[in-house]
Amino acid sequence: MTIVPTPVGNLEDMTFRAVSVLKEADLILAEDTRTSSVLMQHFGIKGRLLSHHKFNEHETASMIRDRILAGEKVALVSDAGTPGISDPGFLLARTCAAEGIEVQTLPGATACIPAVVSSGLPCDRFCFEGFLPLKKGRQTLLKQLSTETRTMIFYESPRRLTATLEQFAVTFGPDRECSVAREISKLHEEHTRGTISEVLEHFKVTEPKGEIVIVVAGLHQEGRREHRNKYKTDDEGQA
């Protein structure tokens, strides 16, 4: 099975190898066949499309595994970017790997890497958090990340962006550096950089639109020591 990244914006980001693999596939698994059919038509790819998304992947994974074992060439794409990165793909990859089926992922488009590299924040070490939980576990996770020293990457919807930045201001502090990347690789790509409070104020007056990636600076070592000392002092005061 081959996992094939597709452009997150500009169709010219599609690789020659990706087109070749999709043309040779007997079956192409697509998150949304309507979206993927546009890409296939653009590159003259005539392979059969089959829906494979988060609502049916548990039911279709074993069937797809059997078809691969029977000798079919299967490729997996998502609506945009690399399958498995906040998109369907993990379950099928695990199912195939458990059967000894070779799973190959082509290098290609994903929104998180351009966002962190363009942010101006350290990108030698970073952690990818994807979409935060909407309710259960959200506060617990944010508390854990409050002492993370690596640059952090989050995906978010435009309608929840300001609320999330408000939470970040409380959790990480309003003066923590961040960058919000919008519409990566598309005509209206935009990067808004500054402190969390500055970026928040920008989007309070400028309605966010399109695909959003938030990049937040990690806690500096000096800040980490101050954080530990604060809680140590608080604990001693309570004792």
Side-chain angles (χ1 to χ4, degrees):
M1 184 187 73
T2 308
I3 297 174
V4 182
T6 55
V8 297
N10 194 318
L11 291 181
E12 292 183 7
D13 293 339
M14 191 76 166
T15 68
F16 292 116
R17 186 181 175 197
V19 172
S20 177
V21 166
L22 291 176
K23 284 184 175 180
E24 294 175 2
D26 299 307
L27 179 65
I28 300 171
L29 306 174
E31 186 178 3
D32 186 327
T33 56
R34 295 166 300 180
T35 300
S36 295
S37 64
V38 175
L39 180 73
M40 303 305 157
Q41 290 173 10
H42 182 82
F43 289 104
I45 299 166
K46 303 183 185 302
R48 182 189 169 197
L49 288 172
L50 179 68
S51 293
H52 181 77
H53 46 72
K54 66 180 180 179
F55 300 109
N56 73 354
E57 59 181 341
H58 285 84
E59 289 73 32
T60 58
S62 58
M63 177 271 290
I64 295 164
R65 173 202 60 200
D66 293 342
R67 293 180 67 161
I68 296 172
L69 289 172
E72 290 192 35
K73 293 181 179 178
V74 176
L76 171 67
V77 300
S78 63
D79 288 349
T82 300
I85 305 298
S86 291
D87 278 322
F90 159 71
L91 180 62
L92 181 58
R94 184 173 67 175
T95 300
C96 290
E99 290 288 344
I101 298 170
E102 181 180 2
V103 178
Q104 190 174 53
T105 302
L106 305 188
T110 184
C112 60
I113 299 302
V116 69
V117 174
S118 297
S119 70
L121 298 172
C123 53
D124 54 334
R125 297 175 66 246
F126 58 85
C127 63
F128 174 72
E129 294 296 327
F131 288 98
L132 289 166
L134 293 180
K135 293 181 180 179
K136 186 177 180 180
R138 187 181 180 95
Q139 290 298 333
T140 299
L141 178 56
L142 285 173
K143 184 177 179 181
Q144 292 171 349
L145 292 173
S146 66
T147 55
E148 174 60 66
T149 58
R150 295 171 295 179
T151 299
M152 297 168 282
I153 307 171
F154 304 89
Y155 285 167
E156 191 51 280
S157 74
R159 71 178 183 275
R160 293 194 299 263
L161 177 60
T162 55
T164 294
L165 288 173
E166 287 172 348
Q167 285 185 309
F168 284 3
V170 173
T171 302
F172 304 127
D175 295 328
R176 184 81 68 94
E177 289 183 279
C178 80
S179 172
V180 171
R182 189 179 68 81
E183 293 289 79
I184 287 174
S185 190
K186 297 179 182 177
L187 180 62
H188 300 292
E189 178 174 343
E190 179 183 67
H191 298 263
T192 304
R193 306 175 181 88
T195 64
I196 292 176
S197 61
E198 289 170 342
V199 174
L200 173 59
E201 287 304 312
H202 169 79
F203 285 108
K204 280 183 176 179
V205 297
T206 305
E207 181 184 2
K209 297 179 180 179
E211 301 293 328
I212 301 289
V213 185
I214 309 172
V215 183
V216 180
L219 183 68
H220 294 302
Q221 289 299 317
E222 184 61 33
R224 190 180 180 89
R225 285 194 294 271
E226 291 174 356
H227 183 91
R228 285 200 301 263
N229 291 337
K230 175 182 182 298
Y231 281 94
K232 182 178 179 181
T233 302
D234 289 347
D235 290 340
E236 289 172 349
Q238 293 173 2

